[in-house]
DNA sequence: GTTCTTGCAAATCGTTTGCACAATA
DNA sequence: TATTGTGCAAACGATTTGCAAGAAC
């Protein structure tokens, strides 16, 4: 088992890529970004490091309905809204801990670890596109 | 394009399987169940029909952090809690429409379509297992 | 120098698809 | 009989893994 983590160039660039890309990139998007700086980087290195960084708590993964995993560098409590057309994910300021009567008492005996609130909708770009198509 | 849906034996059995299995089965679990009644059924038939039934609104899919899709026959408003150890999913009675100040105003310009609240925790079976292991 | 990490290619897993045959309306 | 649906096998896309060579400590 890996105990001591090494501070490799790739790992640094990958973390920076997620931060700079901002809007919850997929591994593939991180890969593209990283390769513009370190062209020999492999996709498996990206996946491995995203995993390591998530283990270290520097990133989190966004559970989505899409098949790709998205990565999030925002360490504050927040929720997400995903576009049902293009898959884009944005932050939403909802704070479950502020909500009255939440979480509920009856959890069928589960020990609660985590709350994730995910909204689905249509993003401004896609609804704009739909408007335009109607006119044509 | 398929317009008229036929009421095949397989489709009936698949829908019944999801209902009887109850706790949000995966396609694979539905497949096993269906094959105990119709042994020649193929996995692709199961996938295709789960898709058709979801289109018809007779089932819904549960977006999870796991890689498999789970299917739900419960048509009422409700939320889910997933076990982070075994992946089991249970219903929770949370009604987003009852929650105060929810959904929030500011959705970054998104048109809201759907709200999904997903809790993560440890199910009774898994926490029991952990207790037992400590004692050993 | 030891051990972690990389890059590459091959493997894996859940799901989807093409196609000829079978079943439904 | 006109389609829709099936079973099988092969294809797919996202992710993981085995391994020999390279880099960090």
């Amino acid at each position: 088992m890996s105990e001591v983590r090494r501070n490799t160039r790739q790992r640094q660039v990958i973390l920076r890529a997620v931060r700079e890309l901002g809007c919850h990139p997929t591994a593939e998007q991180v890969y593209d970004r990283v390769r513009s700086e370190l062209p020999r980087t492999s996709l498996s290195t990206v996946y491995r490091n995203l995993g390591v960084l998530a283990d270290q708590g520097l990133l989190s993964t966004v559970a989505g309905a899409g098949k790709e995993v998205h990565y999030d560098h925002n360490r504050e409590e927040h929720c997400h809204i995903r576009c049902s057309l293009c898959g884009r994910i944005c932050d939403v300021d909802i704070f479950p801990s502020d909500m009255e009567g939440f979480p509920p008492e009856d959890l069928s005996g589960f020990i609660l670890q985590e709350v994730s609130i995910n909204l689905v909708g249509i993003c401004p770009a896609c609804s704009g596109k739909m408007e335009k198509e109607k006119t044509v």
Side-chain angles (χ1 to χ4, degrees), chain A:
Chain A
M1 199 196 299
S2 298
E3 287 300 337
V4 179
R5 313 252 64 142
R6 291 177 179 174
N7 192 23
T8 58
R9 185 115 186 72
Q10 286 89 333
R11 188 118 75 214
Q12 295 164 25
V13 175
I14 288 166
L15 178 55
R16 182 149 41 80
V18 177
R19 290 185 169 147
E20 288 173 2
L21 284 166
C23 219
H24 315 86
T26 62
E28 200 77 37
Q29 293 171 325
V30 174
Y31 174 67
D32 289 343
R33 174 79 167 217
V34 167
R35 278 177 78 97
S36 68
E37 188 169 342
L38 293 177
R40 315 201 66 78
T41 308
S42 75
L43 186 52
S44 44
T45 294
V46 172
Y47 274 107
R48 271 187 287 234
N49 280 304
L50 289 171
V52 168
L53 293 165
D55 280 351
Q56 296 180 324
L58 294 168
L59 296 179
S60 61
T61 57
V62 183
K67 29 197 83 177
E68 301 123 303
V69 172
H70 293 248
Y71 294 85
D72 191 349
H73 71 281
N74 182 349
R75 319 267 299 86
E76 318 246 306
E77 181 187 40
H78 67 290
C79 299
H80 298 111
I81 186 162
R82 181 175 50 80
C83 178
S84 56
L85 298 179
C86 70
R88 195 160 73 97
I89 294 175
C90 288
D91 288 344
V92 178
D93 286 333
I94 306 175
F95 308 102
S97 53
D98 284 356
M99 291 198 290
E100 212 174 305
F102 192 84
E105 321 266 290
D106 178 15
L107 294 176
S108 313
F110 275 69
I111 300 164
L112 185 64
Q113 293 180 310
E114 190 186 320
V115 173
S116 95
I117 297 186
N118 288 88
L119 311 183
V120 180
I122 301 179
C123 77
C126 286
S127 60
K129 221 176 285 172
M130 285 167 68
E131 273 312 310
K132 215 172 251 172
E133 274 162 23
K134 265 189 215 159
T135 327
V136 176

